[in-house]
Amino acid sequence: MTRRPRKPPRRAIPRLDAKADPGSFFMTEKPATGGFAEALENHLPDPTAHESPPSPPRPSGERLKNHPPPQGECDCHGLTAAEAEAAVRRFLAQADRAALRTVRIITGKGLHSPAGPVLRDVVEGELRLLRKKGAIVAFRWEKKEKEKSGSVLVYL
């Protein structure tokens, strides 16, 4: 009984013989003249050929569906405008470091303030600035309107 030599297994990645020129592996219809880098570039497929078109940006309401309920709170009752502004910045920086995704900032309705509500405008102005800088994703007043609400939800 004679044994036939075994065929080498088929491989998905072609291999070169020990004597073969590595440049021949990358040969295409047009020969590369710029060396290995050009040969490699000619051999690789076009990365944009199979890409799907970019999806349109999602509306902010849809993006916020994945955010959890508030994970932390900052109460600004009794603070001056400057103190509240600093407290909000400090609180949001701590929340970001702690990887919180949703927080609540309590401003109060300003019912007991002699000059009327002040903190709502100060906090909202600070949040608008932070959103413009990209530090927060979005914010919204809890009862949908600033005048009816005493707290704001911030999405990080």
Side-chain angles (χ1 to χ4, degrees):
M1 178 176 199
T2 60
R3 270 192 173 172
R4 287 195 297 185
R6 290 179 61 189
K7 289 183 181 177
R10 295 181 81 190
R11 292 186 169 102
I13 301 173
R15 299 197 181 224
L16 292 175
D17 295 334
K19 297 176 185 174
D21 176 30
S24 67
F25 182 74
F26 296 104
M27 285 300 199
T28 58
E29 292 79 36
K30 78 174 188 185
T33 57
F36 181 77
E38 188 178 325
L40 181 63
E41 187 177 306
N42 289 338
H43 182 70
L44 294 175
D46 182 16
T48 60
H50 300 291
E51 283 184 13
S52 59
S55 59
R58 299 184 323 193
S60 65
E62 189 177 321
R63 285 185 307 206
L64 301 179
K65 284 182 183 178
N66 296 332
H67 282 267
Q71 300 166 309
E73 255 182 23
C74 175
D75 192 348
C76 296
H77 278 109
L79 300 179
T80 65
E83 292 170 339
E85 199 172 315
V88 166
R89 269 194 237 121
R90 189 172 47 252
F91 172 70
L92 291 176
Q94 289 171 349
D96 189 42
R97 283 192 298 272
L100 301 181
R101 296 187 59 210
T102 307
V103 294
R104 177 183 288 125
I105 298 174
I106 301 170
T107 60
K109 293 184 179 182
L111 300 176
H112 303 293
S113 179
V118 176
L119 295 183
R120 290 192 287 193
D121 294 331
V122 170
V123 169
E124 184 176 37
E126 186 63 29
L127 292 175
R128 285 185 193 278
L129 183 66
L130 290 171
R131 186 178 61 194
K132 208 178 264 190
K133 288 180 179 179
I136 63 172
V137 174
F139 68 91
R140 70 174 176 85
W141 291 96
E142 272 204 279
K143 292 186 179 177
K144 310 287 186 213
E145 292 181 36
K146 183 168 74 169
E147 289 74 27
K148 294 180 181 178
S149 183
S151 62
V152 63
L153 294 176
V154 181
Y155 301 97
L156 305 172

